[in-house]
Amino acid sequence: MSSIFSRPRLVVKKVLARAQNEGDGAIVRRSIGRPELQNLDPFLMLDEFNVSPPAGFPDHPHRGFETVTYMLQGAFTHQDFAGRKGTIRTGDVQWMTAGRGIVHSEMPAGPGTHKGLQLWINLSSKNKMIEPRYQELLHQDIPKVEKDGVSVTILAGESMGIKSQVFTRTPTMYLDFTLKPGSEHHQPIPETWNAFIYIVEGEGAFGSSDSTTTPAHHCLVLGPGEGLSVWNKSSKPLRFVLIGGQPINEPVVQYGPFVMNTKSEIMQAYQDYQLGKNGFESTKC
C-alpha cells in the first residue's frame, strides 16, 4: 500500500471549512479564502454552498477572475445584467470568465436544498479585462471513467487517460473522485502546479498510506511532488475533488468581488461599477 510516485505530494496544510453566512441567507463552508488560507495561486476561493429558497445570491459584481460552479444537488439559475440566463442542475458545471465585468444573480431553481461548490480562479494581468464568456457543461457531456473501484468525473484536465474539453485560460485540473471502500488511486499532477483536495463526503488517507484519515469538509493543501496517492480504508465511499493549477505569480489585490494586481486597479473597478462603465454599463437601470 505504497505510493507509485517516487516523490508523492504530501499534505502540508489542513483547513476545516466552517459554516458561515453569505449572500442573502445562504450558508457556505469556505476553505480557500478564509484567514488560515487566504489564497493558493491561482485559486482565490472555494465555497461549498447549501441554499434553500428564499435564500440565495442576489445581484453582485465580479471583475478580474473566473468562477466555476459545480452543482452537487438541486439546481441554480444564473442571470446577468446583459440578459444572459441559464440553469445548471445536479452534475452540471458553469465556467464563467468575468473578465472586465459582470453583474449577476445566482438563485436556487425550485424548492428544497441546493448544494454545490464554487471555485474562484484568478486571471493573469493580460486577461483580467477581457470580455466575459461562459462555458456551461451538462452532466451527461462531462467525461467520466471508472476502474478498480475508483470513479472520476473530469471537469478539467486529465485522468485515467481521458481529457476534458474545457478551455481554461489559467491551466487547471478539476477532478471529482469517488473511491469505494478498500480502493486506492494515484493521480499525476504537473510538478509546477499548486494543488489541493476538498473532501465532500467520507474520509480518506491522502499522500501516504499511513497518514491519519481526514473527514469531510476539510481542505488539504498538497506539497511538491509528482502526484497524489489516496486510500479509502473505511467502510463507506469517499468523495473528494482534486483541484490543481499553474501559478500566475503576480500580485493579488482583492476587494470583495474585484481581484486585480494593484490598489489603483481596485479603485478603478469600484468606480467603474458605481458609475456603470468599462464593462459595467448594463448595470445602469
Side-chain angles (χ1 to χ4, degrees), residues 97-122:
T97 304
R100 64 199 296 255
I102 275 180
V103 177
H104 71 162
S105 62
E106 300 158 291
M107 301 297 287
T113 301
H114 305 261
K115 298 179 181 180
L117 300 173
Q118 186 169 94
L119 175 70
W120 289 13
I121 308 175
N122 201 9

Side-chain angles (χ1 to χ4, degrees), residues 167-225:
F167 172 70
T168 63
R169 289 192 176 275
T170 302
T172 306
M173 69 188 313
Y174 194 149
L175 306 173
D176 177 7
F177 283 101
T178 299
L179 273 64
K180 291 181 179 176
S183 62
E184 63 183 76
H185 184 66
H186 307 275
Q187 173 65 43
I189 302 169
E191 291 200 43
T192 58
W193 289 17
N194 287 329
F196 70 94
I197 294 151
Y198 186 76
I199 304 166
V200 176
E201 60 180 295
E203 59 181 36
F206 296 89
S208 64
S209 62
D210 59 355
S211 64
T212 304
T213 58
T214 306
H217 310 305
H218 279 86
C219 176
L220 305 178
V221 178
L222 301 177

Side-chain angles (χ1 to χ4, degrees), residues 32-44:
I32 296 177
R34 59 185 303 112
E36 307 97 291
L37 186 59
Q38 290 193 327
N39 55 59
L40 182 68
D41 191 7
F43 306 110
L44 302 163

